Amino acid sequence: MARGRLRIYLGAAPGVGKTYAMLSEAHRRVERGTDCVVAFVEHHNRPRTEVMLHGLEEIPRKELEYRGTVFTEMDVDAVLARRPQVALVDELPHTNIPGSRNAKRWQDVEELLAAGIDVVSTVNIQHLESLGDVVESITGVRQRETVPDEVVRRADQIELVDMSPPALRRRMAHGNIYKPDKVDAALANYFRPGNLTALRELALLWVADRVDEYLTEYRSEHQVSAIWGSRERIVVGLTGGPEGRTLIRRAVRLAEKGAGGEVMAVYIARSDGLTSASPKELAVQRTLVEDLGGTFHHVIGDDISSALLEFARGVNATQIVLGASRRHAWQYLFGPGVSATVARESGPDLDVHIVTHDEVAKGRGLPVARGALLGRSRIIWGWFAGVAGPALLTLLLTHTDVDLGLTNDMLLFLTLTVAAALVGGLLPALASAAVGSMLLNWYFTPPVHHVTIADPNNILALVIFVAVGVAVASVVDLAARRTHQAARLRSESEILSFLAGSVLRGETSLEALLERVRETFGMESVALLERENEVAPWTCAGSVGPRAAVQRPEDADVDMPVGDHMALALSGRVLPASDRRVLAAFAAQAVVVLDRRRLQSEADRAKALAEGNRIRTALLAAVSHDLRTPLAGIKASVTSLRSDDVEWSQEDQAELLAAIEEGADRLDHLVGNLLDMSRLQTGTVTPLIRETDLDEVVPLALGGVPDPEETVLLDIPEDLPMVSVDKGLLERSVANVVENAVKYSPAGELVLVSASAIADRVEVRVVDRGPGVPDEAKHRIFEPFQRYGDAPRGAGVGLGLAVARGFAEAMGGTLTAEDTPGGGLTMVLTLKVAPDRPAVSGDIPATADP
């Protein structure tokens, strides 16, 4: 099913006539036979708009009750069931009443479009999400109902409904927009001339950008390479030299002469990374052009002139601003220069401005020698083979009696030229060809010891010799440069792959990443600096290296801006421009890692707060019920004893006093667990570890169990080794586990408490024959305020096992849950054997069956 088409009427302000225009279009479509319905249109009691609804089919609205009031919303299901060709949906940013099908009306429209229904809708410019802050600064009113820009941009047609501020105010004064009692307030506040003019400009600019996108798409689809001067776009060519600031300011002044002018600064870098540009100066110029409202672009291209023209035509620029050449007069021997070439090849549709500046004809920095790519030692050996080699070969051939002939002599010299090219690159090979040709002419070409050559064939041979030497040298030099580029790109790809992997895995910390930057670029120190705004001081978010971190990016040897308020500062040496691409990736990743660390910290704090809230909620529930239950029993017993209306017998009094004692014991137990849990949560449990015999502690732990002789079977061997524990914590831990086992054991079934020594530990097993716990729930029974199964209210607050495990871990032990063979649950408390005590070794005993 084809997706429906969306048409939007965009207004600069309320009352410009968006809904009226939409209804007018609906009438035109109906007259042409189109099935068009009104899905939702709000006329706001405007008579002219209300009249336009006559003659159009309206889909009944859906009624929803919210907080005692009935509201009406668009009935999406009814529209989908009706399936018209076109549906009119007013006020696209509207927020639906809670309980509606979707939260926002634009989401309802998305469903209609997905069902193949064309939609005509309306939006005011102030409701676009990206313009919320701007509109608030203009009007002082924050728009609560917004629509994402992307939803509006995806519309197939956008039509601007415009009206001048005076005309709109007159419409307002005539009562065509608001009721008369609201007109004066509206004219004095939101509908002031300044507000309306600013909103109108926002709408015009937003629609102009959308039209520009349409134009770019059309030019791309139809492969239109010619420039269409629909608006002034000025491209500034930067070299990284000091004249760049002058060019940017001049371009901005040119753009200001025409409405809607746009400035784009572009720096063309060679693909081999060889450049004389100053990274710091480029960073300053980038900040300048962005502060002046332009954009900065970094483009790779070996042919500067072609790359610049290609970029200008690609963005549909109308003018190019270049600086007059900084080259000396003698440097024009190597070519006309970028400015002259761009001016010659720009064509009639692209104007080129050559701007003079203070650096004209003062010279420019020479690029790095290509031979430097081969290494210093290879260059030295290359020059030796290219210059000294032909001289030594001439000496050898002239002092021997063997006549090899001119052809063989030339091949020997050619071999030296090839060797010089292989070792030292282009320049040594050219020198070898030149020296070799002169020596061949002087010593081996008749007439010898004369510059002239008698045989024309010898002239041809020498020319071929020089040509072959130059060709071989060029090929070898090109291969060496390509090899260097390939190695560099391979290294960059490995680094970027590492960064991409660390992003996906989230493994790299900020300090580790900064250390990787320091090692990769051989720096002394690396720091990530940030600030809150343009005037705030810089602060260090993280740094590595022996040197103290710089306080400002401009104090570092290399600084890489990341956005407006962050920068990566490196100290140690100045990096070439070719390294800044990888450095930019590191800088972006550093910001991501910093943001991730802060988000993780916030998530941890939120988790701690959520856990605290959960515990507080559970504590309130416990206080409201589990603590009140024994209190209620105590109070009832005390009230009965103090009652003068009834004469209680001694047996009754004893029974009431026993109930009071039982309730007090339960309260003491509950409060004790709450206090213990509080100590564990705050980390204030400090165990006093001592050598202790289990048979001294475990029997004491059964003191709180009712009728321990009838409910618990104790099996603690006397020959067990001593354990390193806190006697009090161990007693409380065992007591909680045993009480929990007794609580869940069936009537008549004994709970077995046994102990055994295994290697360097002692295990205390508490075995019951209760209902047991599934494997997926075993970890939850140790969480605070958790009661498994159908434990009755008032049987505890669910802290016993949580306190028991917390005390066990505080002593260096563990508490785990296992299934009892035949049914039930076994709690295993593992404790460390006291040092310097022989541990009893043996097999793990089978779980006892009580």
Side-chain angles (χ1 to χ4, degrees):
M1 179 185 298
R3 180 180 172 86
R5 297 175 62 83
L6 176 62
R7 179 184 178 91
I8 291 179
Y9 285 95
L10 178 67
V16 295
K18 305 180 302 300
T19 305
Y20 190 91
M22 179 180 66
L23 294 174
S24 299
E25 179 185 348
H27 280 286
R28 291 193 298 270
R29 294 197 180 199
V30 170
E31 291 173 359
R32 293 196 300 264
T34 304
D35 182 15
C36 182
V37 301
V38 176
F40 187 96
V41 169
E42 188 64 62
H43 55 74
H44 298 290
N45 296 322
R46 297 169 186 169
R48 296 177 181 271
T49 305
E50 189 173 2
V51 169
M52 293 297 294
L53 286 171
H54 296 165
L56 297 176
E57 178 186 351
E58 294 189 53
I59 302 293
R61 300 183 184 183
K62 184 177 183 179
E63 293 185 352
L64 295 171
E65 184 177 352
Y66 179 66
R67 294 183 177 178
T69 305
V70 177
F71 297 89
T72 59
E73 294 287 359
M74 180 176 67
D75 193 338
V76 180
D77 292 325
V79 179
L80 292 175
R82 172 64 174 77
R83 293 194 61 81
Q85 290 180 274
V86 180
L88 307 184
V89 182
D90 202 8
E91 299 178 356
L92 189 63
H94 172 74
T95 301
N96 294 329
I97 295 298
S100 300
R101 183 189 187 95
N102 296 301
K104 304 287 288 188
R105 184 166 293 164
W106 63 264
Q107 295 172 326
D108 296 337
V109 170
E110 286 293 323
E111 287 197 37
L112 300 183
L113 295 173
I117 301 174
D118 294 344
V119 176
V120 182
S121 188
T122 62
V123 177
N124 278 332
I125 191 67
Q126 66 265 29
H127 293 295
L128 292 180
E129 199 169 78
S130 65
L131 300 178
D133 296 338
V134 179
V135 172
E136 183 179 9
S137 65
I138 294 172
T139 64
V141 178
R142 181 67 178 185
Q143 299 296 330
R144 300 301 178 186
E145 293 188 336
T146 59
V147 58
D149 290 46
E150 184 60 26
V151 174
V152 182
R153 288 184 180 276
R154 286 201 306 264
D156 299 280
Q157 297 180 44
I158 299 177
E159 182 171 335
L160 177 65
V161 182
D162 188 26
M163 179 176 288
S164 66
L168 183 57
R169 286 172 59 84
R170 282 196 302 270
R171 176 179 288 185
M172 172 72 69
H174 293 160
N176 294 331
I177 301 177
Y178 293 153
K179 294 181 179 180
D181 58 340
K182 297 182 179 180
V183 169
D184 292 338
L187 291 174
N189 294 284
Y190 193 88
F191 285 83
R192 294 195 303 268
N195 289 358
L196 297 178
T197 302
L199 292 174
R200 188 186 189 196
E201 183 180 13
L202 279 178
L204 291 170
L205 290 175
W206 196 92
V207 173
D209 288 338
R210 180 59 176 155
V211 172
D212 188 55
E213 292 177 9
Y214 281 135
L215 180 61
T216 302
E217 292 176 4
Y218 179 85
R219 286 167 48 85
S220 176
E221 291 174 359
H222 294 79
Q223 298 181 351
V224 178
S225 59
I227 293 175
W228 292 356
S230 54
R231 62 188 294 187
E232 290 295 335
R233 284 190 180 87
I234 303 175
V235 172
V236 185
L238 301 179
T239 64
E243 77 283 357
R245 306 181 200 182
T246 302
L247 303 183
I248 293 171
R249 294 189 179 96
R250 179 60 181 274
V252 171
R253 290 197 297 271
L254 289 174
E256 290 174 349
K257 292 181 179 180
E262 184 179 354
V263 175
M264 291 171 284
V266 58
Y267 170 69
I268 310 294
R270 296 185 182 275
S271 60
D272 56 11
L274 301 177
T275 178
S276 59
S278 168
K280 282 192 174 183
E281 183 63 31
L282 277 177
V284 171
Q285 294 173 14
R286 177 173 191 155
T287 302
L288 175 62
V289 71
E290 291 175 351
D291 290 343
L292 294 177
T295 56
F296 183 89
H297 305 269
H298 192 118
V299 178
I300 305 297
D302 290 324
D303 190 333
I304 305 297
S305 303
S306 299
L308 184 60
L309 288 171
E310 182 179 351
F311 175 83
R313 293 192 173 98
V315 298
N316 201 28
T318 57
Q319 302 180 55
I320 296 179
V321 175
L322 298 173
S325 179
R326 288 183 286 137
R327 298 191 302 175
H328 293 297
W330 61 269
Q331 291 178 305
Y332 283 97
L333 296 174
F334 299 101
V338 174
S339 300
T341 303
V342 171
R344 184 180 67 247
E345 299 179 359
S346 61
D349 53 355
L350 188 58
D351 298 335
V352 179
H353 301 268
I354 308 296
V355 179
T356 59
H357 49 84
D358 295 336
E359 304 298 323
V360 174
K362 290 186 178 180
R364 62 183 182 184
L366 294 176
V368 179
R370 297 186 186 274
L373 303 177
L374 300 174
R376 185 174 181 181
S377 60
R378 288 189 59 179
I379 295 174
I380 293 175
W381 282 105
W383 280 103
F384 179 81
V387 177
L392 294 176
L393 179 60
T394 301
L395 183 64
L396 177 64
L397 293 177
T398 55
H399 286 76
T400 57
D401 297 333
V402 180
D403 186 8
L404 300 178
L406 180 60
T407 302
N408 292 327
D409 293 338
M410 293 179 66
L411 290 176
L412 291 175
F413 278 95
L414 183 60
T415 301
L416 290 176
T417 300
V418 173
L422 291 173
V423 177
L426 181 62
L427 294 181
L430 294 178
S432 177
V435 173
S437 62
M438 290 187 294
L439 292 176
L440 282 170
N441 183 24
W442 186 263
Y443 287 101
F444 303 101
T445 305
V448 296
H449 304 305
H450 290 82
V451 179
T452 59
I453 301 175
D455 190 352
N457 292 330
N458 293 336
I459 298 177
L460 179 60
L462 285 175
V463 171
I464 293 175
F465 166 78
V466 174
V468 171
V470 172
V472 171
S474 300
V475 170
V476 172
D477 179 71
L478 179 62
R481 286 190 285 115
R482 291 293 181 262
T483 301
H484 175 80
Q485 293 173 11
R488 181 178 184 83
L489 291 175
R490 182 173 63 253
S491 177
E492 289 184 2
S493 65
E494 292 175 355
I495 294 174
L496 295 177
S497 175
F498 161 77
L499 289 177
S502 64
V503 170
L504 296 176
R505 295 188 302 270
E507 298 174 349
T508 305
S509 65
L510 179 60
E511 288 71 20
L513 183 65
L514 296 180
E515 182 63 28
R516 180 66 181 264
V517 174
R518 191 175 73 89
E519 294 176 355
T520 300
F521 297 100
M523 291 293 179
E524 295 183 8
S525 65
V526 179
L528 181 63
L529 306 178
E530 63 176 343
R531 59 181 178 180
E532 296 181 356
N533 51 57
E534 297 293 340
V535 297
W538 291 94
T539 59
C540 182
S543 63
V544 295
R547 288 178 52 178
V550 296
Q551 302 300 320
R552 299 183 304 169
E554 49 267 29
D555 296 335
D557 295 316
V558 179
D559 68 281
M560 172 59 65
V562 188
D564 296 331
H565 304 139
M566 301 196 78
L568 195 64
L570 294 81
S571 301
R573 65 187 181 93
V574 177
L575 288 180
S578 57
D579 289 339
R580 293 183 66 85
R581 289 177 296 180
V582 177
L583 182 60
F586 271 112
Q589 175 63 4
V591 175
V592 171
V593 171
L594 179 61
D595 291 341
R596 183 191 298 122
R597 185 172 70 179
R598 290 175 175 172
L599 289 175
Q600 184 62 44
S601 177
E602 293 178 2
D604 292 340
R605 288 196 297 270
K607 183 178 180 181
L609 290 174
E611 179 65 18
N613 287 332
R614 188 183 69 83
I615 292 177
R616 281 192 292 272
T617 302
L619 180 59
L620 288 175
V623 171
S624 65
H625 189 283
D626 295 300
L627 295 182
R628 290 179 63 184
T629 299
L631 280 175
I634 293 173
K635 181 172 179 57
S637 299
V638 172
T639 302
S640 299
L641 289 173
R642 296 188 61 184
S643 175
D644 297 331
D645 301 343
V646 180
E647 184 177 351
W648 301 101
S649 64
Q650 292 185 353
E651 292 79 4
D652 294 335
Q653 291 180 4
E655 185 178 350
L656 291 174
L657 290 174
I660 293 173
E661 183 179 11
E662 181 183 356
D665 290 341
R666 288 177 59 188
L667 277 177
D668 179 67
H669 180 73
L670 292 174
V671 173
N673 276 337
L674 288 173
L675 293 176
D676 290 340
M677 197 67 233
S678 176
R679 292 168 60 198
L680 289 172
Q681 291 287 338
T682 56
T684 57
V685 176
T686 305
L688 183 62
I689 304 299
R690 293 286 186 270
E691 296 182 358
T692 306
D693 283 324
L694 279 180
D695 56 2
E696 297 178 1
V697 178
V698 175
L700 297 177
L702 305 182
V705 178
D707 299 326
E709 296 82 3
E710 303 295 332
T711 56
V712 179
L713 176 61
L714 196 60
D715 182 16
I716 306 295
E718 296 181 357
D719 58 348
L720 284 178
M722 301 183 74
V723 292
S724 296
V725 295
D726 182 301
K727 186 176 180 180
L729 297 184
L730 177 60
E731 180 181 343
R732 292 299 303 277
S733 182
V734 174
N736 284 349
V737 173
V738 173
E739 289 174 9
N740 186 78
V742 171
K743 182 193 310 179
Y744 285 96
S745 291
E749 293 286 351
L750 295 178
V751 172
L752 174 63
V753 180
S754 63
S756 58
I758 303 172
D760 59 347
R761 67 186 187 275
V762 171
E763 288 187 352
V764 179
R765 291 176 171 265
V766 180
V767 185
D768 67 62
R769 286 297 183 181
V773 177
D775 291 339
E776 62 273 11
K778 283 187 173 64
H779 68 283
R780 292 201 302 270
I781 62 177
F782 294 103
E783 296 179 0
F785 303 105
Q786 297 292 323
R787 279 184 295 223
Y788 180 75
D790 55 352
R793 299 292 295 180
V797 293
L799 287 176
L801 294 182
V803 170
R805 170 175 275 189
F807 284 169
E809 293 177 349
M811 296 182 294
T814 60
L815 178 62
T816 57
E818 299 177 358
D819 291 328
T820 300
L825 188 68
T826 299
M827 291 291 180
V828 182
L829 176 62
T830 303
L831 303 171
K832 293 182 179 179
V833 173
D836 300 328
R837 296 280 181 173
V840 179
S841 60
D843 297 331
I844 301 176
T847 304
D849 190 2

